[in-house]
Amino acid sequence: MKKILFFVPIYFCSMLSVFAQTSEKDLLKKTEETIVKISQEKPNGWTKKGQFTFLANQATFNNWLAGGQSNISASFGFNCELNYNSDSWTWDNKVQGAYGLTKIQYQPIQKSDDRFLFNSLIGKKANGEWYYSGFLNFKTQFDSGFETVIKTSHFFSPAYLQFGPGMLWKRNDNLKINLAPATSKVIFVDTNFTQNGPSFGVQQGYSYRYEFGASVNGYWKFNIMENVTAENILNLYSNYNDQPKNVDIDYTLNIVMKVNKYLSTNFAFQTIYDDNAFAGFQTRQIIGLGVNYSI
């Protein structure tokens, strides 16, 4: 009995030692797996992604006493990204475009959407989540625009180009803010639109206007709930030499409610304030069932 009592503590101590060694090995193994997983998840080098979307809406009325006009509309859009990330550098490139048409009963076909955007943002690591940055932003439209029967715009007229150095705060690809206090802005307009007066801020007889000011660009994309994402894009610009308090605003909200791999319900809202083009807010809103293709 004494021998048994003597060996029992030894047995338990030896078992605890084995368990401790096993637990330590498991812990080291899990730690190594976590490190490998994190290194795999961290983007390094070039990454690319893109999405092409087709939106359609239709309303038909026949002997509908409450009133209404039959209409149909469709639009095509694309959103492509080519990004580079390393320990000391980040370079984000985005190309977006959309073109849409709508047909209301007894009326001619009209544009419902028309835009092209290219944005490039490069950053060199400074400290923490801050980078020394440089950006270039270009936007225009694909097709001509009309006010009643008068043509007021067409491809590359107007076209907006912004570029300059600054500081970038970047948490990740889905949350970043770029501050550029020395931004150059150029507005291009065909001289056909400036023959009789200024157009989009470009003076009569000229084809471009140069401005110097400050810009703030913000991007935030997050999940509202499962399969529902919200994308916020904000661009602010102030011209130092001409009414700097009149800040140009361009804000876009895109909400995508994913049905499956190929179908989604898309909602887009955009508001623009640019007193050189229009003394007030310009807004557009689009909602419809989308057919998506991703690369």
Side-chain angles (χ1 to χ4, degrees), residues 52 54 77 131 160 233 266:
F52 300 86
F54 177 76
Y131 297 79
Y160 300 89
I233 306 171
N266 295 9

Side-chain angles (χ1 to χ4, degrees), residues 14-28:
S14 61
M15 290 300 294
L16 287 173
S17 176
V18 171
F19 286 143
Q21 293 176 2
T22 304
S23 300
E24 185 177 356
K25 290 180 180 179
D26 291 340
L27 182 60
L28 289 173

Side-chain angles (χ1 to χ4, degrees), residues 64-294:
W64 190 255
L65 299 181
Q69 289 183 300
S70 299
N71 64 84
I72 184 172
S73 64
S75 65
F76 171 79
F78 59 88
N79 185 352
C80 301
E81 297 181 18
L82 180 62
N83 301 328
Y84 176 83
N85 284 290
S86 68
D87 293 334
S88 57
W89 286 93
T90 178
W91 189 10
D92 299 337
N93 299 278
K94 181 188 287 285
V95 180
Q96 291 179 314
Y99 186 76
L101 296 172
T102 183
K103 177 66 172 71
I104 300 176
Q105 191 176 22
Y106 310 125
Q107 295 184 19
I109 296 176
Q110 299 179 8
K111 285 196 304 181
S112 59
D113 199 1
D114 187 5
R115 52 197 168 87
F116 174 82
L117 170 68
F118 170 71
N119 191 65
S120 183
L121 177 62
I122 189 169
K124 174 70 170 65
K125 192 80 168 183
N127 185 28
E129 296 173 340
W130 286 95
Y131 297 79
Y132 305 108
S133 69
F135 87 102
L136 183 146
N137 177 273
F138 174 79
K139 60 181 180 180
T140 186
Q141 59 191 53
F142 293 106
D143 200 3
S144 300
F146 294 86
E147 188 173 328
T148 61
V149 294
I150 301 174
K151 182 187 288 189
T152 57
S153 62
H154 59 63
F155 175 70
F156 210 84
S157 183
Y160 300 89
L161 176 65
Q162 289 187 20
F163 56 92
M167 292 295 296
L168 168 66
W169 179 84
K170 183 177 180 180
R171 173 68 57 84
N172 50 52
D173 286 342
N174 294 324
L175 180 59
K176 50 193 171 183
I177 299 174
N178 187 64
L179 310 175
T183 297
S184 293
K185 179 179 179 181
V186 187
I187 306 171
F188 301 94
V189 176
D190 195 302
T191 52
N192 291 329
F193 300 115
T194 61
Q195 287 181 353
N196 301 319
S199 177
F200 296 97
V202 179
Q203 296 301 312
Q204 183 176 358
Y206 288 82
S207 60
Y208 73 93
R209 167 175 170 157
Y210 174 80
E211 298 178 359
F212 183 73
S215 68
V216 177
N217 300 315
Y219 182 83
W220 184 26
K221 184 177 180 180
F222 62 94
N223 291 328
I224 299 176
M225 59 182 68
E226 187 177 1
N227 295 328
V228 181
T229 61
E231 181 184 48
N232 297 270
I233 306 171
L234 176 65
N235 300 306
L236 305 175
Y237 173 79
S238 174
N239 182 8
Y240 291 143
N241 300 319
D242 185 12
Q243 297 180 316
K245 292 182 179 180
N246 288 356
V247 178
D248 295 344
I249 302 171
D250 189 344
Y251 170 71
T252 301
L253 170 64
N254 296 313
I255 296 179
V256 178
M257 292 163 275
K258 186 177 180 181
V259 179
N260 54 38
K261 183 178 180 180
Y262 299 106
L263 295 177
S264 66
T265 299
N266 295 9
F267 171 80
F269 171 79
Q270 183 178 14
T271 182
I272 296 175
Y273 179 82
D274 183 354
D275 58 348
N276 291 322
F278 177 74
F281 280 92
Q282 308 171 57
T283 60
R284 71 177 181 90
Q285 179 179 306
I286 298 174
I287 187 170
L289 180 65
V291 179
N292 306 306
Y293 176 74
S294 300

